[in-house]
Structure formats: C-alpha cells, structure tokens
Amino acid sequence: GTLGLLLLTDLTAGEIVRGKMLACGLTSFLVLLGALPALMFPVLAGGVTGSEAAMTGIGLLNTLFVALAAGLWMSTLFRERRHAIPATLGLLAALAFGPEVLGNSVFGPTATSVFRLFGLAGWMTAAQLPVVLSPLFAFWLAITHALGWVFLWRATVTLAATWQDQPHKQFRE
C-alpha cells in the first residue's frame, strides 16, 4: 500500500522496483538460505553427490529470483493484490508446467522428459543428469536467470508507463 507514496518522491521506477525486490526478496532469500543446509543430509548419507546438491541449491535460488520478479511484474500490471496473486501463480504455473504439457500433447508421452527441461523446474531434471551434461544445467540457469531480468525490466517499464493517479471523476448523486 505504499507504492502511491513512493511515486510522490523523486525516485525512478527502476529504483522503486529494485527496492521492492530487495525488500521482498531478502526475507524469502533468508528463509531459503536457512533451509539449504538440509540439502546436505542426503550428501552425508551418501545418496547424492555434492555437485548435485550444489546444483539443487543454485536452482532453488534462481527459481526464487524468477518467481519474485514475476510477482513484481504482475503487481505493476494490477492495482489490487487479489488480482496480482492469481496472475502471478498462473504465470509461474505456465512457466513450470507449460513446456511439459505442450510436449506431451504435441509429441506424445515419450517426449515429456525432454520437454521437462524447458520448464521453470528444469533444474531438477538437469541436476540429475550425468556430469557430462552439466553444461545443460548452466544453459538452463542462464536462460531462466535472463527471464527473471526480463520480468524485472517489464515491471520497471510497466510501472513507469501505467501507474498514475486516476483523474478525478465527478459522480452524480
């Protein structure tokens, strides 16, 4: 509820988006950071390698960044939280499951595992691949990280272009 007050200051739209990202992202990052040591229990038990655990941690951090950036973009498109939250969840669901559903419907169930790599959660599949295919994980990381920056850029552009006070309207009684 403070966006209207922030727009009265001399801050640019990019500074506001970065500040909101830092404020929302810091809490989420610290919660995720507190949960990351739990990823080391399977390593200690010998179930997974350290590189798989590291790729899982990096994938979780990157997915958090993309989700926060998508939420900021949707919150600049919609003035009310009750519209922005379902839009964000819909966008993230489309990013996570869209490629897998599309691959299954177009190419059949045999192509589902390949198209799973193109989703937002493709890091889970890429982290389980042999070490020879670890460049695929780096490619996935770069693409989804770039997608997060595109969402932040869109949030900045949308905020600068559309968030204005509505003109005063006369209502008849």
Side-chain angles (χ1 to χ4, degrees), residues 8-9 119 131 135:
L8 293 174
T9 64
V131 179

Side-chain angles (χ1 to χ4, degrees), residues 49-76:
T49 65
S51 63
E52 289 174 342
M55 286 192 284
T56 301
I58 292 169
L60 283 170
L61 288 172
N62 195 42
T63 303
L64 175 67
F65 171 70
V66 173
L68 287 171
L72 277 173
W73 180 37
M74 289 297 121
S75 69
T76 59

Side-chain angles (χ1 to χ4, degrees), residues 128-141:
Q128 295 171 354
L129 293 174
V131 179
V132 177
L133 296 176
S134 62
L136 185 62
F137 178 81
F139 177 73
W140 172 89
L141 187 70

